Amino acid sequence: MVGRVLHALLLGVAVFLLTFAFAATAQAGAAELWVGQSAGCSDARTPAQAGSAATPWCTLTRAAAQARGGDTVHVGAGVYRETLRPLSSGTPSAPVTFAAAAPGVVIDANGAANGVKMIGVNDIVLDGLEVRGASGQGVWLDATARVTLAGLTVTGNAGAGVTVKASSQLVVDGSTISGNGGAGIMELAGTSGGRYTDDTISGNGIDGLPYNGDGIQLGGVNSLVARDTITGNGDPGPYEHGVYTGASSSGWTIEDNTIADNAAAGVKAAGGPGQVRFNRIEAGRYGIVLSDNPAVVTVEHNAISGAAQHLVFLTTGTTAARARLWSNTIDQTGRSADSGDASAVFVNAAAWLELRDNLICYSNPDSLGVALWVNDASRLSTLASDTNWFCGTDAKGRDFAWNGSRTTLDGWRAAARADGRSVDSAPPVFAAGLIVTSADLGAGVGDNLGLATDLAGAPIPASGPVDIGAYQR
């Protein structure tokens, strides 16, 4: 028995040493390779000969065929009319890197299907490149893992800027994805663990077609969309959004983004479970739409404002919305259409809805809308609502609608059997970011929901009452 244990230990040590030696060899063999468009470039060179800026290869195609794990391909300024397709994988500690050596490195697909194409390769880094001119997707990733797109500009491609399929741990960071015919980033089914952070995603999907023109479209699981600026995406109409999460997606987090002026919703949240939190969402046809949620989506500590049909719209496709709205500030300042119902929060259909500690206002002086509208009570299965601050501009205080009929807070309480501790008033005065600067009816009257920080990052007391809305004041 002792001999078998000792043998196993020695075998484990040997495997570890061999793995370490292999990794060290890969690192030691890492090459600095060069691509450039000088008169002396040549694709006939060996990797050893292409190891200097003075003796580069001419094309990315040659570099992509030769680069191995740990290698860095430095790309000189110029327009490369080809498709970059890496053929070898790196490792997590020794990726294959293609990096701009100076500003002005452009991959122009020149009408080919893709500017960058990766299939079945892992641990690739692209840094500082511009990708344009594809008849399909600017960047196409299929069956990849641990690909990083850092500081890219992806623009002027006929299809999506970046499409990822059946891949894991894609990072798109510090990049500009703009002016592409399809979605800015399209994540298809089978994708997991995507990280889309600190990006500018704007003006995508303006191609005259009604679908697939979102800023970011999530179709996988466990994705993060954080600290992005997502503006002006989609053709006019109800179908193209700033961020769209598909009905089969789950485990995603959309946080700390600025989302404004997208064609339909700032966020269309289907699927779930998921979280939409700490975002600033403005204008568009809707602020947030919730629909087809097999599990609860939590909408927490967002500032949602502007002229819209509805700023939060709960509805159904094949499955009714399931949502938790906690500690948001929602202020509808106008209408996106001259007719039809208007409200800060509109419930068309919801299997489950919880409203807690929200400041919900219809502040448009036309008095034609309400703070909270339930269109058909038979389509609202479960409602839990309390400690909210509602406000509106109706002279008779009818800041609610139940079964499509306007009513006061007292009428709402009797019909909905909710909001016993909530308050209703005329709209307060808001400063930038939807911070209340007038008399604050929400100060210290909210329930503690166990949340850690507010929209501004201020800590929330661990016990006792809290302030209603997105901010602790």
Side-chain angles (χ1 to χ4, degrees):
M1 178 68 176
V2 173
R4 288 199 298 272
V5 172
L6 180 60
H7 176 75
L9 287 172
L10 291 172
L11 181 60
V13 170
V15 170
F16 171 79
L17 290 174
L18 284 171
T19 302
F20 179 82
F22 177 81
T25 300
Q27 292 279 13
E32 303 292 319
L33 306 170
W34 287 81
V35 174
Q37 296 188 329
S38 64
C41 72
S42 172
D43 279 355
R45 293 190 171 103
T46 65
Q49 293 169 333
S52 166
T55 56
W57 288 314
C58 297
T59 66
L60 294 167
T61 299
R62 173 65 171 163
Q66 295 296 317
R68 301 292 184 266
D71 291 352
T72 297
V73 178
H74 302 279
V75 186
V79 178
Y80 298 83
R81 291 181 171 84
E82 54 184 312
T83 297
L84 170 59
R85 183 173 181 178
L87 299 183
S88 296
S89 295
T91 67
S93 60
V96 180
T97 300
F98 296 82
V105 176
V106 177
I107 300 173
D108 187 338
N110 200 29
N114 313 114
V116 173
K117 187 173 187 176
M118 301 186 205
I119 299 177
V121 292
N122 305 324
D123 301 296
I124 308 291
V125 176
L126 305 186
D127 187 358
L129 312 175
E130 178 178 332
V131 182
R132 70 187 189 197
S135 60
Q137 304 82 10
V139 179
W140 170 262
L141 308 174
D142 186 359
T144 66
R146 298 176 300 279
V147 169
T148 295
L149 309 179
L152 264 62
T153 297
V154 184
T155 186
N157 299 285
V162 177
T163 297
V164 53
K165 174 185 177 184
S167 297
S168 64
Q169 301 180 60
L170 169 64
V171 173
V172 182
D173 181 70
S175 294
T176 297
I177 317 292
S178 66
N180 299 287
I185 298 173
M186 179 176 286
E187 181 189 271
L188 302 177
T191 297
S192 64
R195 296 291 181 267
Y196 313 107
T197 55
D198 298 294
D199 301 306
T200 297
I201 301 169
S202 64
N204 300 287
I206 303 174
D207 60 353
L209 301 175
Y211 302 108
N212 297 320
D214 311 288
I216 299 182
Q217 182 172 324
L218 301 180
V221 300
N222 300 330
S223 299
L224 172 67
V225 178
R227 302 180 304 280
D228 297 316
T229 299
I230 303 170
T231 58
N233 298 285
D235 290 299
Y239 302 115
E240 297 182 328
H241 315 280
V243 181
Y244 170 60
T245 64
S248 62
S249 66
S250 65
W252 35 261
T253 298
I254 301 166
E255 67 180 12
D256 199 20
N257 302 286
T258 297
I259 304 173
D261 300 313
N262 297 285
V267 177
K268 167 69 181 294
Q275 298 186 82
V276 183
R277 61 188 186 184
F278 309 130
N279 301 286
R280 291 165 175 83
I281 302 174
E282 298 179 5
R285 188 184 183 105
Y286 306 98
I288 297 177
V289 174
L290 296 130
S291 178
D292 294 290
N293 306 125
V296 172
V297 173
T298 298
V299 179
E300 172 226 323
H301 279 111
N302 300 280
I304 310 170
S305 65
Q309 184 172 354
H310 310 292
L311 284 179
V312 178
F313 182 39
L314 295 99
T315 189
T316 184
T318 58
T319 304
R322 289 173 171 83
R324 175 187 295 118
L325 272 64
W326 281 0
S327 302
N328 302 282
T329 298
I330 304 167
D331 180 35
Q332 182 151 343
T333 60
R335 301 157 59 89
S336 60
D338 294 331
S339 61
D341 302 324
S343 59
V345 176
F346 187 95
V347 183
N348 182 51
W352 191 88
L353 173 61
E354 182 179 359
L355 297 170
R356 303 283 296 280
D357 292 359
N358 300 284
L359 171 49
I360 302 174
C361 266
Y362 184 87
S363 62
N364 186 358
D366 68 3
S367 303
L368 296 176
V370 302
L372 176 55
W373 186 302
V374 173
N375 202 45
D376 181 348
S378 70
R379 304 185 75 191
L380 173 57
S381 300
T382 300
L383 173 67
S385 184
D386 208 357
T387 60
N388 300 292
W389 177 7
F390 300 102
C391 39
T393 56
D394 183 69
K396 298 180 180 180
R398 297 172 302 167
D399 297 329
F400 305 83
W402 182 260
N403 271 331
S405 297
R406 296 180 67 163
T407 187
T408 63
L409 177 57
D410 287 341
W412 169 265
R413 285 170 172 162
R417 298 180 181 180
D419 288 296
R421 294 177 293 149
S422 295
V423 298
D424 182 45
S425 73
V429 176
F430 292 106
L434 294 187
I435 298 173
V436 174
T437 58
S438 58
D440 194 342
L441 302 184
V445 296
D447 281 340
N448 197 304
L449 304 175
L451 304 175
T453 61
D454 73 357
L455 176 57
I460 297 173
S463 61
V466 301
D467 296 337
I468 287 174
Y471 301 96
Q472 291 298 294
R473 299 177 289 279

